[in-house]
Amino acid sequence: KNEVEQSPQNLTAQEGEFITINCSYSVGISALHWLQQHPGGGIVSLFMLSSGKKKHGRLIATINIQEKHSSLHITASHPRDSAVYICAARYGGSQGNLIFGKGTKLSVKP
Amino acid sequence: NAGVTQTPKFQVLKTGQSMTLQCAQDMNHEYMSWYRQDPGMGLRLIHYSVGAGITDQGEVPNGYNVSRSTTEDFPLRLLSAAPSQTSVYFCASSYSGLVTYNEQFFGPGTRLTVL
């Protein structure tokens, strides 16, 4: 069974800290997605990647295909980054469905 | 563009009632899907569609029906609601076909309670 595991489940940080959220997955994915779920419930896509690294503002996503592992980093964290971060793996090619991790709840304290 | 819209935002049903959750997108996306989100679990795929007239089951399809008569709309029907269907439901859409990396666009969600 294809699975996606995230760690940690919960994370509390002080404003300004560097944050890392980890995601591991089974073999054979075509893409790895990182999503953000706001406290109000809305979900937005942050990154899609199948190799290497992507950066958007203070967010960086990396993926290591050999180790079947991806990380989401947040530099200079801010209270507005508080959200649930979700990793999802696309199996079965570009038309495959997504398998979601359970999410990492991040709380950034001022 | 309105993106992905869902109605209603909140709904309370009694066991055995039926209802339809509406989902629409105005981005001409071929791929649409329905997920449910339960506490302590990741989003789980209920049904999906790769184009008008084509639907298929996801991980947890029991108790739900879908149809896709147009590209824009993908309603989810609960035939006889059960308390186990209490959840938050998200509709999502994306391009498909030759686009390799398909960003998912999510609706705002419908919070359903079945008593």
Side-chain angles (χ1 to χ4, degrees), chain A residues 1 9 30-31 33 35 37 40-46 48-50 54 86 90 93-103, chain B residues 31 35 37 40-45 48 50 57-59 90 94-108 111:
Chain A
K1 181 180 176 183
Q9 190 173 352
S30 60
H33 294 244
L35 307 161
Q37 186 167 25
I43 300 173
V44 295
S45 179
L46 297 175
M48 294 179 293
L49 65 167
S50 61
K54 287 191 175 181
I86 301 169
R90 186 178 297 280
S94 62
Q95 304 305 314
N97 295 314
L98 292 174
I99 304 294
F100 292 81
K102 295 180 181 180
Chain B
Y31 184 96
Y35 299 95
Q37 185 176 42
M41 304 188 73
L43 288 154
R44 292 183 293 169
L45 182 65
Y48 66 98
V50 297
Q57 296 180 349
E59 182 183 355
F90 288 95
S94 65
Y95 290 108
S96 63
L98 297 179
V99 178
T100 304
Y101 307 128
N102 302 324
E103 179 181 358
Q104 294 265 311
F105 293 83
F106 286 83
R111 187 175 292 273

Side-chain angles (χ1 to χ4, degrees), chain B residues 48-100:
Chain B
Y48 66 98
S49 169
V50 297
I54 306 169
T55 64
D56 206 347
Q57 296 180 349
E59 182 183 355
V60 288
N62 292 340
Y64 307 95
N65 273 359
V66 292
S67 60
R68 185 95 179 269
S69 56
T70 66
T71 300
E72 295 77 20
D73 300 299
F74 191 44
L76 178 73
R77 297 183 186 85
L78 282 71
L79 304 175
S80 178
S84 60
Q85 294 178 303
T86 294
S87 187
V88 181
Y89 291 84
F90 288 95
C91 178
S93 72
S94 65
Y95 290 108
S96 63
L98 297 179
V99 178
T100 304

Side-chain angles (χ1 to χ4, degrees), chain A residues 24-78:
Chain A
S24 60
Y25 55 88
S26 304
V27 297
I29 71 167
S30 60
L32 192 290
H33 294 244
W34 282 101
L35 307 161
Q36 180 191 55
Q37 186 167 25
H38 300 294
I43 300 173
V44 295
S45 179
L46 297 175
F47 295 104
M48 294 179 293
L49 65 167
S50 61
S51 64
K53 173 181 173 178
K54 287 191 175 181
K55 184 176 189 290
H56 186 260
R58 295 181 293 106
L59 300 177
I60 303 167
T62 64
I63 189 168
N64 185 316
I65 301 298
Q66 286 74 28
E67 296 185 3
K68 300 187 287 293
H69 180 268
S70 177
S71 292
L72 177 68
H73 306 285
I74 304 175
T75 62
S77 60
H78 190 276

Side-chain angles (χ1 to χ4, degrees), chain A residues 3-41:
Chain A
E3 290 186 341
V4 175
E5 300 287 338
Q6 283 186 242
S7 64
Q9 190 173 352
N10 292 284
L11 182 56
T12 300
Q14 288 297 128
E15 183 173 355
E17 286 185 358
F18 180 84
I19 290 164
T20 296
I21 300 170
N22 297 299
C23 175
S24 60
Y25 55 88
S26 304
V27 297
I29 71 167
S30 60
L32 192 290
H33 294 244
W34 282 101
L35 307 161
Q36 180 191 55
Q37 186 167 25
H38 300 294

